[in-house]
Amino acid sequence: MNPSVSRRLRPHAPAAGLALLCSVVLCAATPAHAFSGGNHEKITRAALGAGGWHPNSLTAMADGNSGAIVANDHDQYFGIGKLHCDNADYLDPRYDSRYPRTRAQADAEVIDCVESSVDHVRRALAAADRLVDANGHVIAAQTSISPACSWNDQPGRAKCEVLEDLGRGWHQIEDFYAHSNWADQAAPGAIGVKNPPGLGRTDLPAFFSIARYSSMNRADWVKDATGHIPHDLATGCYPDRDHTGTVSNCTGRVTHDGVLNKDTKDSPRSAVAHNFDRAYDLAVKDIARQWKEFKDELQRRYPNNGRAQAMICAITHDHPDKTCG
């Protein structure tokens, strides 16, 4: 199979057809560039499902083929590394004295990924202001999701903008766990380019407290976030555009494909020490954190006349003009 074709599951494939195709020929041997759409959906639904989301609104956010959570896997967004937390690969000299990337270069890619999430959360917070009027009453025309939202990064109905920016901002957070060694463990044997170290972490990274950084100036949050990046943290190199705009040359580097990714349970590193489950579980916990912090930030920014609570209701309810007071 042509490697350029085999790198990803086609996000526009109908779900039933994709499942059949996977079961017959492809998925066991096909590394994906991001958590597969099905896994993005499962993670997002697990994180949000107990939070009062109505079915259509949750589907608009979480659907694995057409939800906001997979908008970064479509069109030109697929080839932008920061939207998938790619290219922050690094090996300390104790493992490889000639590794072609420095810790500072890896840190720059992590920060680029975080900054993208920060920007999207800020945009979602701003768009939420248009969900309700000054008295906290839901604006019907701004909160409808019929017809379906278009995830095209263009101005539109306020609810569509909020969902899109949250979905885009959360996508790379989910990918971070699949693409990095934060939660995983290395395979037995020598540590190196084909078997990078695993950090085995069970906590959520401080540098992904997006709500905190959304209210800080860039210099302050970059300094804070960089200080929380572990020395041996790595995400895999992938031939997409890094923070300089250059398509990554992955020769001699820890790669996404075949080495570090845990995008599906069939990825080579997934089976080691239950690494897929480790990545999946932390991704669920982090999206739950992101949603809580986003709601808290709405309360902080829009405290008057019950506006924040009405905004949360408008985001999560299918017919907020009828059910949110």
Side-chain angles (χ1 to χ4, degrees):
M1 182 178 294
N2 186 331
S4 66
V5 174
S6 70
R7 284 197 197 97
R8 65 169 171 171
L9 302 175
R10 296 179 182 272
H12 293 289
L18 179 59
L20 178 61
L21 190 61
C22 285
S23 66
V24 176
V25 284
L26 283 179
C27 288
T30 303
H33 175 34
F35 262 131
S36 68
N39 285 321
H40 275 295
E41 178 168 350
K42 290 176 183 177
I43 289 164
T44 308
R45 287 185 179 275
L48 303 180
W53 286 70
H54 285 193
N56 292 340
S57 295
L58 183 56
T59 294
M61 170 61 78
D63 184 79
N65 289 307
S66 59
I69 197 64
V70 294
N72 285 355
D73 280 341
H74 295 297
D75 305 319
Q76 71 271 22
Y77 305 100
F78 185 81
I80 302 173
K82 67 182 178 182
L83 303 184
H84 312 281
C85 264
D86 293 332
N87 304 313
D89 53 292
Y90 175 72
L91 275 180
D92 185 80
R94 70 188 189 276
Y95 302 124
D96 186 341
S97 62
R98 295 183 294 179
Y99 195 74
R101 301 279 285 180
T102 67
R103 181 68 259 170
Q105 288 174 308
D107 288 350
E109 300 301 333
V110 175
I111 293 301
D112 201 33
C113 176
V114 175
E115 184 166 29
S116 175
S117 286
V118 170
D119 287 345
H120 280 296
V121 170
R122 284 177 171 162
R123 289 170 56 175
L125 288 166
D129 192 27
R130 296 169 23 237
L131 295 168
V132 303
D133 64 21
N135 296 314
H137 298 138
V138 169
I139 301 172
Q142 292 292 337
T143 56
S144 174
I145 52 173
S146 181
C149 301
S150 298
W151 316 126
N152 57 9
D153 212 20
Q154 297 297 316
R157 285 162 283 163
K159 181 166 179 174
C160 292
E161 289 186 29
V162 171
L163 293 177
E164 178 171 10
D165 278 309
L166 289 180
R168 289 192 185 278
W170 291 349
H171 178 96
Q172 59 257 52
I173 295 175
E174 295 182 5
D175 274 357
F176 169 79
Y177 295 100
H179 295 181
S180 78
N181 63 349
W182 178 273
D184 73 10
Q185 295 184 11
I191 298 296
V193 171
K194 298 298 184 183
N195 187 32
L199 301 183
R201 302 282 290 257
T202 59
D203 57 326
L204 301 179
F207 52 78
F208 265 135
S209 183
I210 304 300
R212 174 184 177 187
Y213 294 149
S214 70
S215 60
M216 295 172 64
N217 68 60
R218 187 180 190 280
D220 288 343
W221 75 251
V222 167
K223 180 179 179 181
D224 184 276
T226 303
H228 288 291
I229 298 174
H231 182 72
D232 282 332
L233 178 69
T235 72
C237 180
Y238 190 85
D240 53 17
R241 296 194 180 277
D242 65 17
H243 85 283
T244 70
T246 303
V247 175
S248 296
N249 179 350
C250 297
T251 302
R253 296 166 62 178
V254 173
T255 60
H256 170 97
D257 286 346
V259 176
L260 198 49
N261 93 79
K262 297 162 287 291
D263 293 323
T264 73
K265 285 194 172 184
D266 294 315
S267 302
R269 189 143 166 134
S270 289
V272 177
H274 303 288
N275 281 337
F276 177 87
D277 294 333
R278 293 169 181 268
Y280 180 98
D281 290 347
L282 277 189
V284 171
K285 291 178 181 177
D286 209 342
I287 299 308
R289 168 177 70 162
Q290 301 302 326
W291 175 230
K292 179 182 184 303
E293 290 189 350
F294 183 77
K295 292 186 292 182
D296 290 346
E297 185 66 10
L298 287 177
Q299 296 282 4
R300 189 186 74 80
R301 292 194 180 200
Y302 306 110
N304 298 327
N305 300 323
R307 295 188 76 226
Q309 198 57 44
M311 291 172 187
I312 295 166
C313 187
I315 293 167
T316 58
H317 284 219
D318 289 345
H319 302 287
D321 56 318
K322 299 176 181 178
T323 58
C324 295

